[in-house]
Amino acid sequence: LLAADREELFRILYERSFIHRPDRPFTLSSGKTSPVYVDCKKTTLGHSRAQYLIGDLLYHRISRLDPDGIGGLTLGADPIAVATSLVSGLYHRSIPAFVVRKEAKGHGTKNPVEGDLIPGARVVVVEDVVTTGASGMRAVDVCRECGYEVLEVVALVDREEGGRDRFAQAGVPFFSFFTLSDFLAHDREIRSV
């Protein structure tokens, strides 16, 4: 069933989030330009079936780690973490979601991480798309500064532009459900039909 769910999620991401625009390249968060963009938020925020699939696939991926929380840098990680947390409740194994702020609040608790994590929590950091890994590493660093142990970084899509190596150098396991190569190969296949 998980393999079928993964295939279904891939199809939804391809149809809703994969954009190939060679005539007007996109500027990525790394500053590089690319004719291909994967806008996961069109799926993670806008498609209820995909939200369930993401939560279920991620839950099954990380439940073996027995984490105390799941989250990452706002905004890309937020719907992924919330979907996984919600599905974890369906399995009666609660994994709270958390949010890593881009900037610490200047008032109230001034927390750089929002959520209900226990001190010393063991957490999984999530991302929608990993390019160089800079956003993911920022979330990892903030979590570590707060005293949390980062068990793994999980992404929906790895653009294969250095993120995996960056996490490896920081001693953080990394997993992605899909790669940009997967989408490009599927796109070539679709266009050749």
Side-chain angles (χ1 to χ4, degrees), residues 14 38 60 69 100 115 147 175 191:
Y14 176 77
V38 184
H60 282 93
V100 177
F175 174 81
R191 289 173 191 274

Side-chain angles (χ1 to χ4, degrees), residues 26 74 82 131 147 160 185:
F26 299 92
T74 195
V82 170
T131 304
E160 304 167 292

Side-chain angles (χ1 to χ4, degrees), residues 68-72 77-86 88 94-100 113-117 123-124 126:
D68 300 310
I70 181 167
D78 300 348
I80 298 168
V82 170
T84 307
S85 181
L86 176 66
S88 75
S94 178
I95 303 173
F98 67 88
V99 173
V100 177
V113 175
E114 296 294 344
D116 190 23
L117 295 176
V123 302
V124 171
V126 290

Side-chain angles (χ1 to χ4, degrees), residues 15-34:
E15 290 167 7
R16 295 181 64 93
S17 297
F18 179 83
I19 307 165
H20 185 236
R21 201 173 72 188
D23 54 324
R24 291 180 300 140
F26 299 92
T27 301
L28 305 176
S29 61
S30 64
K32 294 180 184 178
T33 59
S34 172

Side-chain angles (χ1 to χ4, degrees), residues 136-147:
M137 273 312 302
R138 186 161 171 213
V140 167
D141 291 342
V142 169
C143 286
R144 286 175 169 172
E145 288 165 12
C146 290

Side-chain angles (χ1 to χ4, degrees), residues 58-72:
L58 251 156
Y59 172 80
H60 282 93
R61 169 70 195 176
I62 69 170
S63 61
R64 66 183 171 73
L65 300 172
D66 195 28
D68 300 310
I70 181 167

Side-chain angles (χ1 to χ4, degrees), residues 69-191:
I70 181 167
L73 195 65
T74 195
L75 175 75
D78 300 348
I80 298 168
V82 170
T84 307
S85 181
L86 176 66
V87 168
S88 75
L90 299 176
Y91 289 104
H92 305 287
R93 168 44 186 107
S94 178
I95 303 173
F98 67 88
V99 173
V100 177
R101 291 179 171 276
K102 290 189 177 175
E103 294 179 24
K105 257 188 337 183
H107 60 282
T109 61
K110 300 183 181 180
N111 289 335
V113 175
E114 296 294 344
D116 190 23
L117 295 176
I118 60 173
R122 301 167 71 249
V123 302
V124 171
V125 168
V126 290
E127 284 237 66
D128 53 0
V129 179
V130 166
T131 304
T132 64
S135 297
M137 273 312 302
R138 186 161 171 213
V140 167
D141 291 342
V142 169
C143 286
R144 286 175 169 172
E145 288 165 12
C146 290
Y148 306 134
E149 178 187 353
V150 178
L151 303 172
E152 185 173 48
V153 173
V154 179
L156 293 181
V157 180
D158 177 7
R159 284 189 61 98
E160 304 167 292
E161 295 184 32
R164 181 176 298 280
D165 292 338
R166 187 179 214 147
F167 297 128
Q169 290 170 2
V172 182
F174 173 69
F175 174 81
S176 69
F177 285 99
F178 311 108
T179 64
L180 185 60
S181 296
D182 296 330
F183 287 98
L184 292 171
H186 185 70
D187 190 57
R188 280 192 300 272
E189 188 178 306
I190 295 291
R191 289 173 191 274

